[in-house]
Amino acid sequence: MSATAQETLAGLRDVLGHAEGENRLVPRIAAGQAPRSVLAALAGEQYRVISSDWRSLLHLAARAEAPAAKQYFSTLAAGEGIALERVVRFAAAAGLDEAGLKAYQPLPGCQAYPAYQAWLALNGDITAVILALNVNFGAWGEYCGTVSAALAEHYGFDETGRGFFDFFAAPAPQLLELALDAVQAGLDAGESTAAAHGYGRLLQAYELSFWNTLDDQVR
């Protein structure tokens, strides 16, 4: 009997687990040991990540043939629009205005993730991309929850300043349901998910690269 979408996603999560290596920056932020300058840099990097991922998700929605996959990527893209507004507010709380955001010079190690997502948008197998993205979303959401709590406790950020991280940390059962519907449609159509492991492994590695590149800049 063929695996269901839920079984396929759970199996991929079990195989990939957490990314190999250690996120060095998030624990420093959680302990209040990271300088405020790294928060401004984090905002500058995310401003570019979100802008790029928004376009990538729209392209994936355009490429997808199944309505369920189109809806999933379109919904994710709409979320990036909300996130972009919130990252501007986070940047302002960290001392970086919108002109500063646009002038910020990004770090290669931080921009590897959106560059790879853009590659997936152009070349990735649609169902495999959905699976890989969902595996990495778990780690990203955990990081955002930890950072949000630390911004309140150690850095004096209000709800507006923390809203970017709260947005991604909040559970999104409807989004997961859309993802599972899209994956199931792909499985029913006979689409291969063989590439999902490789996609997910690289996404996790680039996620760690994002945080640890920032950490390297403040040591």
Side-chain angles (χ1 to χ4, degrees):
M1 182 179 294
S2 299
T4 66
Q6 194 160 13
E7 290 168 342
T8 302
L9 179 56
L12 186 62
R13 284 174 173 160
D14 287 343
V15 170
L16 288 174
H18 282 286
E20 294 181 6
E22 178 186 6
N23 185 321
R24 300 190 302 270
L25 180 58
V26 168
R28 292 183 67 200
I29 295 174
Q33 296 173 352
R36 291 185 71 90
S37 60
V38 81
L39 301 178
L42 175 56
E45 298 294 344
Q46 278 297 327
Y47 183 75
R48 281 160 177 75
V49 171
I50 296 298
S51 299
S52 176
D53 287 354
W54 192 355
R55 295 184 183 94
S56 295
L57 291 166
L58 288 172
H59 189 75
L60 282 162
R63 279 187 57 212
E65 295 183 4
K70 284 184 177 293
Q71 183 178 2
Y72 174 69
F73 288 123
S74 297
T75 301
L76 281 181
E80 298 297 305
I82 297 170
L84 193 62
E85 294 177 356
R86 295 193 179 199
V87 82
V88 171
R89 296 173 193 158
F90 164 57
L96 195 64
D97 62 17
E98 196 155 3
L101 276 176
K102 292 177 180 178
Y104 176 83
Q105 294 300 304
L107 301 169
C110 291
Q111 296 303 310
Y113 183 100
Y116 183 61
Q117 185 154 303
W119 184 93
L120 290 176
L122 291 172
N123 303 287
D125 297 337
I126 293 296
T127 302
V129 169
I130 296 171
L131 288 165
L133 287 175
N134 273 270
V135 170
N136 192 66
F137 285 164
W140 167 242
E142 290 178 14
Y143 296 150
C144 286
T146 300
V147 170
S148 177
L151 291 178
E153 181 178 357
H154 299 298
Y155 298 93
F157 280 49
D158 62 15
E159 289 186 9
T160 299
R162 304 191 309 269
F164 172 76
F165 298 98
D166 291 338
F167 178 69
F168 288 107
Q174 292 179 333
L175 190 59
L176 177 59
E177 185 176 346
L178 287 175
L180 291 173
D181 287 346
V183 170
Q184 192 62 57
L187 293 174
D188 292 344
E191 292 185 18
S192 173
T193 62
H197 178 274
Y199 295 168
R201 181 179 61 82
L202 287 175
L203 284 171
Q204 287 183 328
Y206 293 139
E207 177 77 41
L208 275 183
S209 174
F210 176 89
W211 295 101
N212 290 339
T213 295
L214 282 173
D215 185 67
D216 290 339
Q217 296 301 304
V218 295
R219 287 189 178 273

